[in-house]
Amino acid sequence: MNVSQTEFKPSELSFGGGALSGAYDPIAEHWPVEACREALSSGINTFDTSPYYGRSEYILGEALEHLKDEFPRSTYYLETKIGRYGYTTKDFDYSTQRTLDSVAESMRRLKTDYIDVVLCHDVEFVDFDQVVGDNGALKGLFQLKAEGKINYVGCSGYPLPVLLKIAQHQHEKGQPLDVILSYSHYNLQNTSLSDYTPLFRQAGVRYILNASPLNMALFRDAGPPDWHPAHAELRQAAHQCAQLAKDNGLNISTLASMFAFRGRSTFQLDSTVIGLERKEEVQQAISAWKKVKAQESGSELVPAIEIKVLDQIDALLKPYKNYSWQSPSQKELGLV
């Protein structure tokens, strides 16, 4: 079924292509096509990626090209980013010309002649003027929007105050952002996004997306990758949460996903972006989402054991509730 071309109507669950970078796990060659087919067959219609995510754009473009007879371009939305091309702040370029070039490069990698949503990637890494100024990234993105090459313009990043400052500035300018993509700020440990969403709406932002419901793999049995910015105490608490879930016959990733999916009705979230690599992960995410919908409709009760375990998890994480780590980090600033 074709998606709306006059209004962005993302599925409640979006496919996070960052996982295709291989930064979390090595990727088998056959996984992307199988995962994308499963996603599209299950009703997921939005795919998020970035030039920063290794070969993610290439891999996603190839997979969707492979599926074009079953799922033509008109049946899904593509969302990518500009501005971040490496790990440290020196790998950022928010100039208008680089923005225009970057979107053209992304189109080639994704094998498309238009992109639905383009976001300024990790806006906190650059000066405010590089985002909103006369030679800034947003100037380039709104130019491409006027030309019909992209449909929606937005920003992504970690610190919510930085995102809000940009949104408010653009609103006052009479050129509001269409989309805000926040990550790691609506999950078991940090729910700050729910407080900021009304402020984003007041600043004219139409669509709010929440990425990384597992808090960048903090909430999974295998634990977070070595590069995760959480401090040792929070990592230990997350490990205890995972063990607690397992001891009660539950899975920490599923519990974390379901918690984040409830954000849609809790504070009018538009979509949750979850990193997906394999068909089985898509199936697990869809299953958790369906369970939440059934519970919200009243057709299924929340099991008492889930309520109990979530309460215990909340207690374990209470010392770190709404803690946000520094972004960019000292390492990303190139200082260590």
Side-chain angles (χ1 to χ4, degrees), residues 276-336:
L276 299 168
E277 300 170 344
R278 296 178 291 118
K279 174 182 177 180
E280 292 77 13
E281 290 178 347
V282 178
Q283 292 170 334
Q284 288 164 7
I286 289 290
S287 175
W289 172 73
K290 285 183 175 177
K291 194 172 177 184
V292 167
K293 299 303 284 185
Q295 290 170 354
E296 288 179 339
S297 71
S299 63
E300 190 176 308
L301 294 176
V302 181
I305 188 64
E306 275 187 31
I307 296 172
K308 179 185 173 186
V309 169
L310 282 169
D311 283 345
Q312 292 173 326
I313 285 173
D314 192 53
L316 283 169
L317 295 172
K318 194 167 186 178
Y320 319 105
K321 182 69 173 178
N322 289 349
Y323 159 77
S324 296
W325 46 79
Q326 178 188 333
S327 181
S329 66
Q330 294 294 101
K331 196 172 178 183
E332 288 169 321
L333 287 166
L335 299 177
V336 293

Side-chain angles (χ1 to χ4, degrees), residues 87-104:
Y87 183 71
T88 66
T89 49
K90 72 176 188 297
D91 300 309
F92 281 70
D93 189 339
Y94 266 56
S95 66
T96 301
Q97 188 56 53
R98 183 68 185 102
T99 296
L100 299 176
D101 293 342
S102 184
V103 173

Side-chain angles (χ1 to χ4, degrees), residues 222-251:
D226 292 341
W227 51 259
H228 198 287
H231 53 62
E233 294 83 1
L234 177 51
R235 283 169 175 263
Q236 178 58 25
H239 173 72
Q240 291 175 298
C241 292
Q243 191 59 51
L244 174 66
K246 186 181 284 187
D247 290 346
N248 285 276
L250 300 171
N251 177 271

